[in-house]
Amino acid sequence: MTVNDDSFTSWKNREEIAESMIPIIGKLHRERDVTVLVHSRSLVNKSVVSILKTHRFARQIAGEELSVTETLPFLEALTTLDLGPSQIDIGMLAATYKTDDRGLSVAEFTAEAVAGATGENKIERCEGRDVVLYGFGRIGRLVARLLIEKAGSGHGLRLRAIVVRGGGEQDLVKRASLLRRDSIHGQFQGTITVDEANSTIVANGNTIKVIYANDPSEVDYTAYGIDNAILIDNTGKWRDREGLSKHLRPGIDKVVLTAPGKGDVPNIVHGVNHDTIKPDEQILSCASCTTNAIVPPLKAMDDEYGVLRGHVETVHSFTNDQNLLDNYHKADRRGRSAPLNMVITETGAASAVAKALPDLKAPITGSSIRVPVPDVSIAILSLRLGRETTREEVLEYLRDVSLHSPLKRQIDFTTAPDAVSMDFVGSRHASIVDAGATKVDGDNAILYLWYDNEFGYSCQVIRVVQHVSGVEYPTFPAPAV
């Protein structure tokens, strides 16, 4: 048998193992509200090849290969336990088991590592929480995809309605088509049907009412059987407490804004300050995509090295706020053609840092350049540190943060030598540290942070909504603090 034959036989064996994992992962998710992860990446509803690729990706961040042959025993061990709702990272279980020298079996080690999700320790399954989307643009449709994707167990967030302004003929069909097909993010994973008579879209069995209204005051959500719901405002039309309070109509309990909030509206970056949300807070903001990209690594660097001052320059993909061709725009420069120009503009991300990281006293400045790409941006974060360090030390620290810290869902890490922006379309992290581009000289560090300003940000929004709704389940093994 040749080397090529050996490689192909190994691949087919791993395919067979991954295929056997799919029903186990699905059953744990549907019946117990358990989400199986590999290094913070969900394996729920993934194909055989996707499962193998997720394992293969571990070599970039962990520095060594991870095979399904290593993780399958831990997955099988989970099926023997009395698990409650949780997220369980079998990649981390396999990695930590290698370093454990107590001679425990896989079953014994797994039972100990996830003890917080079993027996008397397990939390009760939620009854589910209604969610309403106000606006159905770029972020609204991606948030809808995520809500539908995560509705598998029936005990989490439930997308009940979408509120939009009335359109022309076949409005509902066209909106459903935009949900079904996306030029950047590809096809919707599942089936979508339209019931024009009842003004509903049915996506993967989820019945979503489309409500036409020109103003929040026109809607009584209880008339549609919606109660105690979280409304996600994707329009950005209202950003202060007074304006967003208009959404607190019958049936709506909380309002989450997908844009920077103004005044006393809390700006929340999940992973950094989501635990500061007061239980009775009804209005909050998820800040901006750029704020979400820079605040987690900024916090990580400040925790380890101290940050004395910093500057962020965002090279940002163009957005709907710009013009396709030169035309009038109320803002400077944004009236010039977005697909043809680099456009210098402002960013509020630097000033928003103070809201998310009030303990950081370092002055942070910022500016932005919009460039002719439709998605994925990069933030160049230049920092003056509190002590001198080396490039190797910073990279090893950030790699470890991406794997083991409470920020591992926000910060990803890549060592790919020829990575470019399109490689990060669909990333679920708030930002991805580009190891190859990182520069360190004494007490100066420059981090290059990729981020999918559409999908990665939408994932952060969903995490905040899960947190305030009570369906954000604990992760095991618990990340290091």
Side-chain angles (χ1 to χ4, degrees), residues 73-123:
F74 295 93
L75 182 61
E76 291 175 331
L78 294 178
T79 65
T80 67
L81 301 174
D82 180 25
L83 287 169
S86 55
Q87 299 186 103
I88 299 179
D89 195 321
I90 57 175
M92 292 304 300
L93 283 173
T96 52
Y97 182 66
K98 286 181 180 179
T99 62
D100 189 88
D101 58 2
R102 292 175 295 165
L104 299 177
S105 68
V106 167
E108 291 169 335
F109 181 84
T110 302
E112 179 183 278
V114 303
T118 61
E120 295 180 354
N121 295 324
K122 67 182 182 181
I123 61 177

Side-chain angles (χ1 to χ4, degrees), residues 166-179:
E169 187 178 351
Q170 289 197 308
D171 179 272
L172 195 63
V173 172
K174 290 180 178 179
R175 292 186 189 278
S177 181
L178 286 170
L179 178 62

Side-chain angles (χ1 to χ4, degrees), residues 307-319:
V307 173
L308 302 182
R309 63 174 177 268
H311 176 81
V312 60
E313 187 78 33
T314 72
V315 182
H316 200 292
S317 58
F318 63 80
T319 68

Side-chain angles (χ1 to χ4, degrees), residues 215-229:
D215 188 81
S217 63
E218 299 176 12
V219 189
D220 179 347
Y221 294 94
T222 59
Y224 303 97
I226 297 169
D227 187 46
N228 195 38

